[in-house]
Structure formats: structure tokens, C-alpha cells
Amino acid sequence: MKSTIPDTGVPIAPPAANGGDHQENRHEASLHGEILLRLRDYVVEGNIPDGARVPERQLCEMLGISRTPLREALKVLAAEGLIELLPNRGARVRQLSQRDLEELFDVMAGLESLAGRLACEAITDEEITAIEQMHYEMYGHYLHRDMHGYFQTNQRIHESIVAAARNETLKTAYANFAGRIRRVRYSANFARKRQRWAEAMREHEAILDALRRRAASELSDILFQHLRNKRAAAIEHLTEPQDPAPTAP
């Protein structure tokens, strides 16, 4: 699978130029964000098996960084639910059981369903236009079989609908649960028994259509079923034999 992790130990960013503390702090924040983004992608895209230890030395070499910034990024991923920190023993990728997936996807289905209903009451024309643009960008990734780009844009669409709901409590709850299933939500696109990727694309067409019409009840139902279908695909992928390096359908 495509990854943003470099193959060689080239530093993510060059050393900061001479300047004041403000410039240095901005550089450090940018570097931390870049490390976090790449590390999150690496874990989400299944490069480390479920339940396996996080290979800190290998990742440091790949990213061209020391252990300290890597471990800071791992703390964030642990808070998001992607990994587990082991006392004095590093970290490992969080492994979810079938029951865990069923419960988490049902909660996410409820949250996204509510977000869709509330968004139809508050969303602006400009926000709908922005989501339309993301939809066509995602469709382009789909046509080029770029799973990495597709997934990133897909997540931005769902997050934009949640943001349009104008409910901070909902947004916080969504972010918490989204992190915990981000990895399996990505891998569900590789379920073999049906063309989940094409199916998801068709569902997004329906999501966009209902959002344009601000059809609250319809969008709520579509989003709930969208997550239910994703849940079925995720469980299917969890229980089927795994190839060493799955490829996009």
C-alpha cells in the first residue's frame, strides 16, 4: 500500500534557520505535525500488523528523526486509540476484536447519522460547494486507484459534515471514536467478497445528493447505512485470510 513514509533516513525537514524563539517554535510545531501525519498514515495503512510491536528504531531510520519526537507522536496516536503504550516496553498497534468493531461502528453510525441531520439545518452554500469539490477530488483518486489519496479526502468529507452540524459535543465524540477505527476503516476497502470501494463511492454520491437538497432524514439514513456497510466490510476483512501486502481493488 502507498505510504508517505520515506524509504531512506532523510530528515523530514531541514534544520531551522537562525532566528528568534518564535520562528523556532513554529518550526518545531510544523515538524511535530509532519511526523505525526506520516506516522499516523503508516499505522492506518496497515504497515504494522494488528497487535504487533511498533518498531521504533526502524521508524526513526525511515523518518530521519531521534526517539524523542517519535515517542511524542506515539503518545498522540495512543490518545487517538490507534496504538497502546506498554510500560517500559514501547508500544504496539491496538488490536480490535469483532465485537469491538461492531460496537464502535454502531456508535459511529449513530454519530454520523445525527451529524447529517443537524448539518442539513445549519450548513451553508459555501460549505456544500467545498464538500462537492472534495467529492470530485475523491472520485479522481478512485479512478486512479489511489487508495491513500481517496481515504484522506474521504475522511475530510465526513469531518466536514460533522463540522457543519455546529455541535462541539458531537464533534469531540466523533473525533474520539474516529481515531479508534481509522485503521480498520481504511482496510475495509480491501474486503474481497464484494467491491466495497465501488460500493462506498456510490454511497457518497447519494450522500452528496441528499446534502445538496438538505434532506435531513434521508441523509441521516444514508450515513447510518453507509457506516453499517463499512462495518460489515471491516468484519469481513478481519476474518478473511490476509495477504502479506494487500493491494487496492
Side-chain angles (χ1 to χ4, degrees):
M1 286 174 285
K2 182 178 179 180
S3 171
T4 57
I5 296 289
D7 294 328
T8 59
V10 178
I12 286 177
N18 292 333
D21 292 340
H22 180 65
Q23 181 179 352
E24 184 176 346
N25 290 339
R26 286 175 56 190
H27 169 75
E28 289 179 357
S30 176
L31 179 60
H32 174 73
E34 185 71 8
I35 293 170
L36 179 59
L37 177 64
R38 294 189 176 189
L39 186 60
R40 183 189 291 117
D41 286 347
Y42 192 76
V43 174
V44 166
E45 293 174 12
N47 293 287
I48 307 172
D50 288 341
R53 294 281 293 274
V54 174
E56 293 189 18
R57 180 178 299 177
Q58 177 185 341
L59 291 175
C60 286
E61 292 174 356
M62 285 179 167
L63 293 166
I65 59 175
S66 66
R67 287 282 180 92
T68 298
L70 178 70
R71 288 175 175 172
E72 289 300 313
L74 289 174
K75 289 178 183 178
V76 177
L77 297 189
E80 293 178 356
L82 278 172
I83 67 168
E84 295 175 300
L85 298 178
L86 308 173
N88 302 315
R89 291 183 294 122
R92 68 184 174 196
V93 174
R94 182 182 292 274
Q95 188 167 21
L96 298 174
S97 67
Q98 180 172 333
R99 185 58 183 166
D100 290 333
L101 292 182
E102 290 171 350
E103 292 181 355
L104 284 168
F105 271 100
D106 276 350
V107 171
M108 284 294 288
L111 291 174
E112 291 211 20
S113 175
L114 175 60
R117 185 178 294 274
L118 295 177
C120 285
E121 299 174 358
I123 196 166
T124 65
D125 291 341
E126 290 75 17
E127 286 172 318
I128 291 177
T129 298
I131 291 173
E132 285 180 333
Q133 292 173 343
M134 284 186 276
H135 175 83
Y136 294 124
E137 177 185 338
M138 181 178 70
Y139 185 56
H141 292 309
Y142 167 74
L143 292 177
H144 289 90
R145 292 298 187 259
D146 175 8
M147 177 60 77
H148 175 83
Y150 171 90
F151 184 75
Q152 295 297 322
T153 310
N154 178 288
Q155 294 303 288
R156 284 164 49 209
I157 290 172
H158 284 276
E159 290 165 2
S160 295
I161 294 174
V162 172
R166 307 289 194 272
N167 187 305
E168 288 301 317
T169 301
L170 172 60
K171 186 177 179 180
T172 300
Y174 177 83
N176 176 46
F177 286 102
R180 296 172 66 182
I181 64 170
R182 185 178 284 113
R183 175 184 169 93
V184 72
R185 195 166 181 167
Y186 179 94
S187 65
N189 292 289
F190 298 110
R192 290 189 182 90
K193 293 181 182 177
R194 51 187 172 149
Q195 294 293 321
R196 176 57 202 161
W197 198 358
E199 183 182 68
M201 196 66 233
R202 289 191 294 271
E203 290 166 5
H204 266 271
E205 291 282 358
I207 289 169
L208 180 58
D209 177 64
L211 188 61
R212 283 171 176 150
R213 293 183 285 110
R214 291 176 170 82
S217 295
E218 183 178 341
L219 179 58
S220 177
D221 290 343
I222 292 170
L223 284 167
F224 187 88
Q225 190 59 49
H226 179 61
L227 267 292
R228 271 297 180 90
N229 292 342
K230 180 72 78 172
R231 182 186 79 161
I235 292 171
E236 176 186 313
H237 184 70
L238 177 71
T239 57
E240 67 187 4
Q242 299 297 302
D243 294 333
T247 57

